[in-house]
Amino acid sequence: MERIRHELRLSETVSPFGVGAIVDVRGESLIAPDTSWWHKKSAPEISCPRLVDRLGGGVLRQAPAHADRAGKEAPSLLYWRFPAWRFCERCGGLSKLTGKDKGRWRNRCDCGGGLVPMRYVAVCTQGSHIQDIPWFMWAHRGHDDGVTEAVRFCRAYKELRFVRSTKHGEGLASLRVVCGGCKRSRALSQLLGRDALLRDGIKCDGRQPWQEEHEGSACEHRLVATQRGATGNYIAERLAALDIPEERPQSEELAARIRNHAFFAKVVSDNGGPQAELVASWIAADLGTIPEEVLRVASTADEESPPLLDLKDGEWAAFQKKLGSGRDRSAGDFVVDGWSVEPLPAVPSSLTARLTGVGQVRRVREVRALRGFRRHDAAADFVPADLDRAPHHRPVYPTVELFGEGIFLRFDEAEISAWEALPEVRQRAAILMDRRAASPWAQRLDTPEPRFVALHTLAHLLIRRLAFESGYASAALQERIYANSERSDKTAGVLIYTAAGDAQGTLGGLVRLGHPQKLLPLVLAALDDADVCSNDPVCIESDRQGSSQLNLSACHGCSLVSETSCETSNRLLDRQLLIGGSAVPGFLEPVLRSLRDGGE
């Protein structure tokens, strides 16, 4: 029997239709099984050692792809039909059966009507499992007087129908599952409720839809009925890395020089005694650092290997090396023309004092991988992208490689450190920190310290402005924020780039705007756009906007962009921390003040 074939873009196999996601395509509802179902010969391996190390080992593989129209023998991915229960849009028949026509499967009923997936599915509240609602069983359960002996023992499996009856009201009360054998009728409104399925004796199977029954494990958590397209049904965890020549941050380079010093062994052997402090002061004087740093390195000397660097640490170090070097004549997938920002006639000096380096990223390769997913809640159990439990098996992660261009901005560390030390600034950022700490799922987001919120907001303003100047739609642009004051090497920078597997990302419209003479006026224009929001004064005076109130003075009228463009899905934004407010000095407020005054 010939299978039904559909097409997806290659990047959609990682986001948004990766392993475990429900895909609606041409009226059908499908779910992607884990990578143990992939044919490894048709799934090419992707190389990115930085990302593999961050994932803890494994293999990165890209889904099978084809350039022209897919033939019968074209490599493909297997998707499972889910939910399996569908009703006929013509006769209302409700079943799991799929029509056949001349040796091919058809998504049609025997009467000729199209089969439509049922709207509701059952999701486990803790185990991240998902399953069909057993509609025949559910229709014959309940706690009303209509559950008679004839209903309990009904076996009219082929006479179940899904109908709409306005006699019983509107909304879900009008949508009913009816049995033609025992005449039992039950409204979908009875599905909803915390323990609605539990009261009907419907329990969790402890597995995913594509797994066999013997692969499931006992799950005692309750099920809830949700719409199959609900956002909470699929909470993916993805990781992306830029393919760059791995550079060591300055703190790691200093630590290596300390370990190689001739007197370092004496510091370790004394184990924090008075002699260690004396020798540490000698080493510090030789290397131009402080004794405390030498003692810190000595305290970690017994570790077998240095701790794994965060992906952004290595990227920041690579950008730092490129900036200020002018035109990049190197080859490869990481080509950056670095420029120091010099005073310009029409640009306020307050901006050039804060923005110290700009990089024109002429070519960059980004590798994105799907780690796994959760369902219903961010605190639910994690389901990996590869469910193969064979011994010595290397997990396979769905991956896509994208090529593009971008603009990198580096800000002065002394300026931003002095600004974020102000009590008013820290008090404003503490609002977001408290809300992030109070929300279990929000703790996956970056720490909203003042520099992160300010630079994140600036990145959004630049994306909105670049959409008018670069030739790319705002949804094609993405951000990568380097803003952390807790690391040994403090970071303060923004990368705005476009990366795609097709023509977008190689047009050159973005990188040409990265030269300081063109970029600085764009920054000024972006700040001028943010000075007044169409929702002011409500927006600028607000501190409770966005999902879980994780935005302050930021709304669709001034700061929000496409969620796929943002690292935090349009959260942790605040115009006041960037351009200032009534009681909060903004990081770039002096620049905006100069624009208002029309001078330096």
Side-chain angles (χ1 to χ4, degrees):
M1 192 71 69
E2 185 177 336
R3 292 175 175 173
I4 301 174
R5 287 179 174 266
H6 296 292
E7 291 188 353
L8 294 175
R9 291 185 61 181
L10 183 60
S11 60
E12 290 178 332
T13 60
V14 174
S15 172
F17 303 137
V19 171
I22 297 177
V23 186
D24 282 317
V25 52
R26 294 186 179 181
E28 299 187 61
S29 182
L30 312 172
I31 193 169
D34 68 279
T35 55
S36 65
W37 290 83
W38 286 23
H39 296 291
K40 304 303 186 291
K41 292 182 179 180
S42 59
E45 185 173 347
I46 302 297
S47 174
C48 187
R50 300 181 64 243
L51 187 56
V52 172
D53 290 343
R54 189 71 174 85
L55 290 168
V59 181
L60 305 178
R61 289 193 181 275
Q62 185 172 274
H66 62 90
D68 300 318
R69 186 175 180 179
K72 293 184 179 180
E73 303 301 325
S76 61
L77 289 182
L78 183 65
Y79 275 67
W80 231 254
R81 187 179 297 283
F82 181 81
W85 284 91
R86 289 159 293 157
F87 68 92
C88 175
E89 59 185 0
R90 179 179 295 178
C91 68
L94 180 59
S95 70
K96 293 184 177 182
L97 301 178
T98 300
K100 302 176 184 179
D101 181 24
K102 297 179 181 179
R104 295 183 178 181
W105 293 108
R106 288 288 184 265
N107 192 40
R108 294 246 166 216
C109 178
D110 291 339
C111 71
L115 296 177
V116 181
M118 286 298 285
R119 183 185 304 179
Y120 282 87
V121 295
V123 178
C124 179
T125 55
Q126 182 60 41
S128 295
H129 307 121
I130 192 170
Q131 65 189 60
D132 265 291
I133 294 174
W135 290 106
F136 187 87
M137 174 182 176
W138 178 83
H140 293 79
R141 298 291 175 92
H143 302 277
D144 56 280
D145 295 337
V147 185
T148 62
E149 288 296 318
V151 170
R152 290 193 183 98
F153 294 100
C154 178
R155 295 295 181 267
Y157 298 111
K158 295 183 179 182
E159 299 185 38
L160 203 64
R161 292 188 304 122
F162 179 68
V163 300
R164 178 166 185 166
S165 174
T166 56
K167 295 187 300 182
H168 300 278
E170 297 294 332
L172 291 180
S174 66
L175 301 177
R176 310 183 72 83
V177 178
V178 180
C179 178
C182 64
K183 309 305 179 185
R184 169 68 170 165
S185 175
R186 198 173 184 193
L188 292 193
S189 56
Q190 298 182 34
L191 269 176
L192 306 181
R194 178 183 174 87
D195 298 319
L197 295 179
L198 181 62
R199 288 194 297 269
D200 291 331
I202 300 174
K203 298 182 179 180
C204 180
D205 292 338
R207 59 188 176 91
Q208 302 299 329
W210 62 86
Q211 291 182 291
E212 301 290 343
E213 291 188 13
H214 68 272
E215 296 182 77
S217 56
C219 181
E220 299 178 354
H221 302 290
R222 60 184 174 85
L223 292 171
V224 293
T226 64
Q227 295 195 46
R228 72 172 191 274
T231 305
N233 287 350
Y234 185 67
I235 306 172
E237 289 195 12
R238 307 179 186 92
L239 198 59
L242 302 182
D243 185 16
I244 62 173
E246 187 68 62
E247 298 288 345
R248 282 174 128 184
Q250 294 180 1
S251 60
E252 278 299 311
E253 291 183 354
L254 176 60
R257 291 166 57 202
I258 291 174
R259 294 189 187 98
N260 293 331
H261 197 279
F263 294 156
F264 181 69
K266 295 182 179 180
V267 179
V268 176
S269 61
D270 195 44
N271 195 20
Q275 184 180 357
E277 295 182 1
L278 176 63
V279 178
S281 64
W282 298 346
I283 299 175
D286 287 348
L287 301 180
T289 185
I290 57 176
E292 289 77 8
E293 179 66 18
V294 178
L295 294 173
R296 185 193 68 80
V297 175
S299 66
T300 61
D302 293 335
E303 296 181 2
E304 295 181 1
S305 60
L308 182 65
L309 301 177
D310 187 88
L311 286 172
K312 288 188 177 181
D313 281 339
E315 294 169 10
W316 173 259
F319 277 115
Q320 291 287 85
K321 188 174 181 179
K322 294 281 188 178
L323 292 187
S325 58
R327 183 78 178 186
D328 189 353
R329 304 290 181 181
S330 63
D333 292 327
F334 187 65
V335 181
V336 182
D337 295 346
W339 311 101
S340 298
V341 177
E342 304 293 339
L344 294 175
V347 178
S349 57
S350 51
L351 177 58
T352 55
R354 289 166 173 77
L355 180 59
T356 59
V358 171
Q360 292 177 278
V361 186
R362 296 194 173 275
R363 182 174 175 83
V364 64
R365 174 177 177 258
E366 183 188 30
V367 181
R368 300 177 190 170
L370 175 66
R371 292 186 61 241
F373 61 90
R374 291 180 169 86
R375 301 197 194 276
H376 184 67
D377 190 85
D381 295 343
F382 178 74
V383 180
D386 190 345
L387 294 177
D388 193 331
R389 295 292 182 266
H392 310 295
H393 173 72
R394 297 172 65 196
V396 175
Y397 300 98
T399 308
V400 62
E401 59 175 349
L402 308 169
F403 297 90
E405 55 179 305
I407 299 172
F408 180 79
L409 299 87
R410 180 187 64 190
F411 293 87
D412 185 75
E413 178 59 39
E415 290 281 351
I416 201 168
S417 295
W419 166 76
E420 67 180 356
L422 298 175
E424 302 89 345
V425 172
R426 304 198 71 82
Q427 184 178 0
R428 179 77 174 178
I431 299 174
L432 289 177
M433 288 189 178
D434 293 341
R435 291 176 187 167
R436 173 180 175 270
S439 176
W441 69 264
Q443 295 180 26
R444 302 164 56 199
L445 304 177
D446 292 87
T447 303
E449 55 182 310
R451 68 172 64 197
F452 179 87
V453 179
L455 297 186
H456 186 205
T457 307
L458 176 62
H460 278 229
L461 300 180
L462 282 174
I463 287 175
R464 292 166 68 99
R465 170 50 57 176
L466 286 168
F468 294 101
E469 305 287 345
S470 65
Y472 292 107
S474 62
L477 302 176
Q478 298 177 64
E479 67 179 13
R480 202 161 175 86
I481 311 300
Y482 303 88
N484 195 302
S485 62
E486 298 177 355
R487 294 185 177 96
S488 300
D489 297 279
K490 296 182 179 181
T491 58
V494 171
L495 172 65
I496 297 175
Y497 67 104
T498 177
D502 50 19
Q504 283 214 36
T506 60
L507 301 178
L510 183 61
V511 71
R512 69 180 178 84
L513 299 175
H515 194 278
Q517 293 182 352
K518 294 182 178 180
L519 181 60
L520 296 186
L522 286 175
V523 175
L524 297 178
L527 294 176
D528 190 45
D529 292 342
D531 190 16
V532 178
C533 173
S534 59
N535 293 322
D536 282 342
V538 175
C539 177
I540 194 66
E541 294 176 359
S542 175
D543 62 356
R544 295 177 180 275
Q545 298 192 74
S547 176
S548 299
Q549 300 178 352
L550 286 173
N551 285 335
L552 302 181
S553 299
C555 70
H556 283 283
C558 57
S559 305
L560 271 60
V561 297
S562 170
E563 287 197 2
T564 56
S565 299
C566 177
E567 286 188 315
T568 58
S569 300
N570 276 332
R571 300 180 181 95
L572 309 183
L573 298 166
D574 181 27
R575 279 192 298 150
Q576 286 200 33
L577 283 175
L578 180 66
I579 63 174
S582 58
V584 181
F587 176 54
L588 296 182
E589 183 178 1
V591 181
L592 191 56
R593 192 182 305 119
S594 298
L595 285 178
R596 293 168 182 161
D597 298 340
E600 292 286 324

